[in-house]
C-alpha cells in the first residue's frame, strides 16, 4: 500500500521547488530560509485534504515554532535533528485542527513550552471546534472510501474518466484522512497560555519576532509571524496556495483584502503560507487580494440591485478568477468551486447586509 501511494505521489513531488535542503519525514521537507529559520513545507499535491506547513525559529537559547499540524510527531523528530535547544513558544496562527492538534505533542516533548494564539481559541476549541471535529471524524473515512472507489473504478468524483492529476490528488487525500484519523480522535486540546489580541513582540538575543494581528480573513483568529530582519513571513491560512481556503461561516471575505494589504506592506522576501510552497514574491498574494475585493464588490452591487442570494449566486462572475487560479487543472478547478466560489460569495453576501 505504501509503495503504491509513493508511486502515485511521485509526479507531484517532482513539481516541488528544487530549493529543498533535506528530505525529512514523509509528507514534508525542511527548507532553510535564513540562519536558524527552517520551514517544514508539506509536499502533498493539491487536494481536498491538507495538513499545515510549520516554521522553526531557532534562537540563541530556544526555539519558537509556528503551528502544530497533524504531523507534529514527525516534525519534532526533524527539529531534534536540527538543534537540541528546547521549544519555548508555539504560535497557533488560528484555530483549525491542522494548525492546533499537534499542540499536545509539542507539550509532551517540551512540558515548559507556552502556547500563543488569538484569545478566541479558548472559547472556539471546546465549542464550535469540538463540534466541527466530531463531524470530520464521522465523515472523513466515508469520503476517503468514496475516493478509493472512484480510484478503483477509474472515474473522478463527477463520474468522468479520472486523470493522472486527479488520481494523485485522491490518493493523497486518502492518505491524509488516514493520518487525521490516526492523530486527531482522542487528542486533547491545548489552549493558549498567552492570548494575542493585537501585536506581540518577542526578542530572543538579536532576533526580533513579531506576532501580528493584521485583521481577520480566513478566520476571526488569524495571526501571522513576521521576522523583520530576515523579512520572512509565516502567514497561516490568510495565504493558501494554489487556491485560497474559505469557509462561508468562518471567513471574512470583505475584511480579507485589508489583511492582505497589511502583509503586502511588509514587503516580505519569503512567505511561508499555511499550505503550499514557500512564495518568493508577492504576486500570488496580490492575486488573492484582487479576488476577494472583487467578490466583495460584486456582492454589494448585486444586493443593491435587490437580488436574493440564489439569483445573486447565478449572477456573480468569477470565470476570469477561476481561470487564473485553476488554469486547465481539473483538481484546482474543483478546489476553486468548493473552497472559493460557493463559500466566498456567501461570506461576502452576508457581510454586505450589515
Ligand atoms: Zn485553516
Amino acid at each position: 500500500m505504501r509503495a503504491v501511494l509513493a508511486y502515485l505521489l511521485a509526479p507531484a513531488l517532482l513539481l516541488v521547488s528544487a530549493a529543498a535542503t533535506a528530505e525529512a519525514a514523509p509528507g514534508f521537507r525542511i527548507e532553510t530560509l535564513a540562519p536558524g529559520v527552517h520551514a517544514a513545507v508539506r509536499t502533498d499535491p493539491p487536494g481536498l485534504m491538507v495538513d499545515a506547513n510549520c516554521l522553526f525559529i531557532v534562537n540563541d537559547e530556544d526555539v519558537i515554532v509556528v503551528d502544530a499540524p497533524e504531523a507534529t510527531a514527525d516534525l519534532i523528530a526533524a527539529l531534534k535533528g536540527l538543534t537540541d535547544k528546547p521549544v519555548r513558544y508555539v504560535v497557533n496562527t488560528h484555530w483549525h485542527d491542522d494548525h492546533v492538534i499537534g499542540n499536545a505533542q509539542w507539550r509532551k516533548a517540551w512540558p515548559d513550552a507556552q502556547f500563543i494564539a488569538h484569545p478566541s481559541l479558548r472559547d472556539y476549541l471546546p465549542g464550535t471546534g469540538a463540534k466541527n471535529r466530531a463531524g470530520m471524524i464521522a465523515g472523513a473515512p466515508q469520503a476517503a472510501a468514496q475516493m478509493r472507489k472512484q480510484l478503483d473504478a477509474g472515474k473522478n468524483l463527477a463520474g468522468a474518466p479520472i486523470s493522472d492529476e486527479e488520481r494523485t490528488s485522491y490518493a493523497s487525500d486518502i492518505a491524509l484522512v488516514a493520518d487525521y484519523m490516526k492523530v486527531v480522535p482522542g487528542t486533547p486540546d491545548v489552549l493558549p497560555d498567552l492570548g494575542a489580541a493585537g501585536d506581540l513582540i518577542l526578542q530572543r538575543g538579536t532576533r526580533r519576532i513579531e506576532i501580528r494581528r493584521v485583521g481577520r480573513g480566513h478566520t476571526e483568529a488569524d495571526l501571522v509571524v513576521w521576522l523583520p530582519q530576515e523579512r520572512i513571513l509565516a502567514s497561516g491560512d490568510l495565504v493558501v496556495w494554489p487556491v485560497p481556503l474559505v469557509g462561508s461561516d468562518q471567513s471574512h471575505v470583505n475584511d480579507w483584502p485589508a489583511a492582505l494589504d497589511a502583509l503586502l506592506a511588509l514587503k516580505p522576501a519569503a512567505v511561508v503560507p499555511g499550505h503550499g510552497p514557500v512564495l518568493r514574491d508577492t504576486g500570488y498574494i496580490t492575486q488573492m487580494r484582487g479576488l476577494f475585493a472583487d467578490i466583495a464588490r460584486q456582492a454589494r452591487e448585486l444586493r443593491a440591485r435587490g437580488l436574493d442570494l440564489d439569483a445573486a449566486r447565478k449572477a456573480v462572475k468569477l470565470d476570469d478568477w477561476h481561470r487564473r487560479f485553476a488554469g486547465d487543472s481539473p483538481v484546482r478547478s474543483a478546489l476553486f468551486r468548493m473552497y472559493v466560489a460557493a463559500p466566498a460569495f456567501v461570506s461576502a453576501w452576508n457581510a454586505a447586509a450589515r
Side-chain angles (χ1 to χ4, degrees):
M1 187 62 181
R2 267 191 174 278
V4 172
L5 282 178
Y7 172 74
L8 291 171
L9 289 168
L13 293 176
L14 291 177
L15 294 176
V16 157
S17 114
T21 52
E23 185 67 37
F28 63 88
R29 68 202 155 80
I30 303 293
E31 203 171 314
T32 298
L33 305 178
V37 183
H38 313 278
V41 181
R42 294 295 307 178
T43 52
D44 323 290
L48 295 174
M49 278 294 287
V50 289
D51 198 8
N53 291 334
C54 182
L55 186 68
F56 307 145
I57 306 165
V58 181
N59 306 307
D60 292 346
E61 291 178 1
D62 60 14
V63 180
I64 292 171
V65 167
V66 183
D67 276 332
E70 284 139 36
T72 291
D74 291 335
L75 291 168
I76 289 170
L79 176 59
K80 285 184 170 172
L82 293 167
T83 180
D84 54 8
K85 294 171 188 170
V87 171
R88 177 85 176 92
Y89 295 109
V90 176
V91 182
N92 299 122
T93 57
H94 63 290
W95 54 43
H96 287 144
D97 269 351
D98 51 333
H99 300 260
V100 301
I101 199 69
N103 280 0
Q105 291 285 347
W106 289 123
R107 172 150 283 173
K108 202 167 116 197
W110 289 280
D112 294 334
Q114 296 230 290
F115 293 81
I116 303 174
H118 189 266
S120 59
L121 266 72
R122 294 193 70 86
D123 292 326
Y124 176 88
L125 285 174
T128 308
K131 233 183 291 163
N132 289 347
R133 185 179 298 165
M136 185 74 181
I137 289 169
Q142 269 170 292
Q146 183 60 41
M147 285 181 167
R148 168 55 57 202
K149 248 168 76 184
Q150 303 299 127
L151 278 179
D152 292 346
K155 298 219 156 89
N156 69 15
L157 288 168
I162 195 164
S163 66
D164 288 348
E165 185 204 23
E166 287 165 321
R167 209 171 260 292
T168 303
S169 177
Y170 291 11
S172 166
D173 286 340
I174 292 166
L176 284 167
V177 167
D179 289 348
Y180 182 90
M181 294 305 291
K182 205 166 63 192
V183 170
V184 178
T187 295
D189 280 322
V190 175
L191 302 177
D193 305 292
L194 297 164
D199 295 349
L200 179 67
I201 313 294
L202 301 174
Q203 190 71 36
R204 321 301 290 166
T206 56
R207 196 188 311 278
R208 182 179 164 97
I209 300 159
E210 302 184 1
I211 296 156
R212 302 187 58 166
R213 183 153 199 263
V214 294
R216 56 187 195 173
H218 177 67
T219 68
E220 177 72 32
D222 296 333
L223 297 178
V224 303
V225 177
W226 170 237
L227 305 179
Q229 286 141 336
E230 297 85 350
R231 312 205 68 73
I232 293 168
L233 175 71
S235 69
D237 286 0
L238 277 172
V239 180
V240 169
W241 184 93
V243 168
L245 281 176
V246 185
S248 54
D249 295 340
Q250 300 216 349
S251 297
H252 302 275
V253 164
N254 290 28
D255 299 337
W256 208 325
L260 295 178
D261 280 341
L263 299 187
L264 290 167
L266 297 171
K267 298 190 169 38
V271 179
V272 182
H275 307 276
V278 174
L279 305 172
R280 301 290 181 165
D281 67 65
T282 51
Y284 181 78
I285 300 179
T286 303
Q287 184 175 316
M288 277 185 68
R289 190 223 178 272
L291 165 75
F292 292 137
D294 187 40
I295 291 174
R297 178 188 59 78
Q298 292 194 55
R300 272 194 311 274
E301 288 176 6
L302 291 167
R303 245 191 204 282
R305 277 168 47 193
L307 272 67
D308 66 14
L309 176 58
D310 277 348
R313 279 173 116 152
K314 288 186 191 115
V316 66
K317 290 188 173 59
L318 294 176
D319 288 355
D320 282 350
W321 292 114
H322 193 141
R323 256 192 304 279
R324 285 177 73 176
F325 280 90
D328 54 9
S329 152
V331 167
R332 291 180 196 195
S333 202
L335 293 176
F336 188 88
R337 274 195 297 274
M338 181 169 294
Y339 287 132
V340 177
F345 187 69
V346 172
S347 163
W349 179 262
N350 291 338
R354 292 194 278 271

